[in-house]
């Protein structure tokens, strides 16, 4: 079964700083990859996803993620964060053709104004 | 161990049949959620409950029903009105709306 690792569970940074959240998965086959975000007081939302094609995926609110197959990674980035980016971020993976979604444990990101 | 238990792991539904998916948590969380996962799509919210005896529709509530009679339980019924029920269903809970989500292991529902 696939599994997902997210490091640096708590991230604190100032506005305008750059953000990068690491995501590594363990599965040898074709995968679909997701980043979800949960803002305070809201339910989980899809930030971006990768199924195939260009490994650099752009999502909502200026986020992007790069799929590096050789590294089994799908890191999330944003060049300049805002206070409103304070949220919990989850990486998730499904094996291709398999609905089972494996989530990482999440990254709690706090942006200080 | 504290956590969320979903059962069954696999469930099959016949045409016109209602089926109920179980979700139990012993985390003493107030908020519980049901999500649906389809191939090619991310999670979509079906229903959520912030407190006992209260629940709200999510983005795709049609054809589903829930109840929240006990804090630890949030069963989801997939009714015959749901014309495309085949999916992977995830239950989640959180201490309150602002807290991290904890997910169950999911139930795969298929139509015979």
């Amino acid at each position: 079964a696939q599994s997902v690792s997210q490091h640096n569970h708590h991230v604190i940074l100032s506005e305008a700083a750059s953000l990068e959240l690491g995501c590594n998965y363990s599965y040898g086959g074709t995968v679909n990859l997701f980043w979800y975000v949960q803002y305070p007081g809201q339910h989980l939302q899809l930030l971006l996803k990768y199924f195939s094609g260009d490994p650099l995926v752009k999502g909502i609110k200026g986020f992007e993620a790069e799929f590096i197959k050789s590294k089994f990674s799908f890191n999330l980035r944003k060049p300049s964060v805002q206070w409103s980016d304070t949220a919990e971020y989850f990486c998730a993976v499904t094996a291709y053709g398999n609905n089972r979604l494996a989530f990482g444990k999440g990254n709690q990101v706090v942006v200080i104004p | 161990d504290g956590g969320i238990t979903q059962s069954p792991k696999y469930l099959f539904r016949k045409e016109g049949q209602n089926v109920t998916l179980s979700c139990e948590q012993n985390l003493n969380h107030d908020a519980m959620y049901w999500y649906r996962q389809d191939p090619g799509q991310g999670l979509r919210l079906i229903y959520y409950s912030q407190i006992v005896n209260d629940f709200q529709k999510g983005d795709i509530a049609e054809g589903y029903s829930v109840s929240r009679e006990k804090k630890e339980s949030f069963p989801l019924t997939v009714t015959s009105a749901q014309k495309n029920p085949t999916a992977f269903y995830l239950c989640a809970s959180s201490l309150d709306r602002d807290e991290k989500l904890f997910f169950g292991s999911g139930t795969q529902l298929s139509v015979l």
Side-chain angles (χ1 to χ4, degrees):
Chain A
Q2 60 272 22
S3 65
V4 181
S5 297
Q6 291 180 248
H7 309 289
N8 301 322
H9 181 67
H10 294 280
V11 177
I12 302 174
L13 59 167
S14 301
E15 279 192 315
S18 63
L19 173 68
E20 180 161 1
L21 301 177
C23 174
N24 290 91
Y25 65 92
S26 61
Y27 182 74
T30 303
V31 293
N32 297 328
L33 297 155
F34 308 82
W35 274 97
Y36 289 91
V37 60
Q38 185 183 18
Y39 297 103
Q42 299 184 32
H43 64 81
L44 205 65
Q45 303 172 41
L46 182 66
L47 198 55
L48 49 77
K49 61 185 177 183
Y50 172 81
F51 291 145
S52 63
D54 189 340
L56 184 61
V57 179
K58 295 190 183 298
I60 60 173
K61 303 186 180 185
F63 284 90
E64 65 179 29
E66 185 176 14
F67 170 49
I68 303 179
K69 189 175 181 179
S70 61
K71 294 184 178 181
F72 297 90
S73 69
F74 190 55
N75 293 354
L76 180 71
R77 298 192 292 258
K78 184 169 183 177
S80 177
V81 295
Q82 300 173 311
W83 175 78
S84 58
D85 293 321
T86 294
E88 181 103 26
Y89 294 82
F90 295 89
C91 182
V93 61
T94 62
Y96 181 76
N98 184 330
N99 288 359
R100 285 145 187 75
L101 196 67
F103 280 86
K105 293 185 177 181
N107 296 107
Q108 180 64 60
V109 175
V110 176
V111 180
I112 301 171
Chain B
D1 291 340
I4 300 177
T5 302
Q6 287 187 242
S7 62
K9 191 173 182 178
Y10 300 95
L11 186 60
F12 297 91
R13 194 192 90 166
K14 296 179 181 179
E15 293 289 338
Q17 185 182 38
N18 292 353
V19 292
T20 298
L21 284 61
S22 171
C23 179
E24 303 278 333
Q25 54 98 359
N26 60 4
L27 300 167
N28 200 33
H29 285 173
D30 285 313
M32 297 187 75
Y33 310 80
W34 274 106
Y35 290 90
R36 170 179 169 144
Q37 170 74 13
D38 295 275
Q41 302 192 41
L43 288 175
R44 292 183 290 167
L45 183 65
I46 304 172
Y47 267 99
Y48 64 99
S49 168
Q50 302 293 357
I51 197 170
V52 175
N53 292 323
D54 184 60
F55 49 83
Q56 305 294 329
K57 292 183 178 181
D59 302 316
I60 54 165
E62 185 175 354
Y64 300 95
S65 65
V66 294
S67 64
R68 188 81 187 278
E69 298 175 355
K70 297 185 296 182
K71 187 176 186 178
E72 59 270 24
S73 179
F74 191 41
L76 173 74
T77 297
V78 184
T79 74
S80 57
Q82 173 49 245
K83 299 306 180 186
N84 185 24
T86 296
F88 185 62
Y89 290 86
L90 273 171
C91 179
S93 72
S94 63
L95 193 58
D96 60 34
R97 313 168 41 142
D98 297 321
E99 295 296 321
K100 174 180 176 172
L101 281 171
F102 290 80
F103 288 88
S105 57
T107 294
Q108 175 65 51
L109 175 63
S110 302
V111 177
L112 294 176

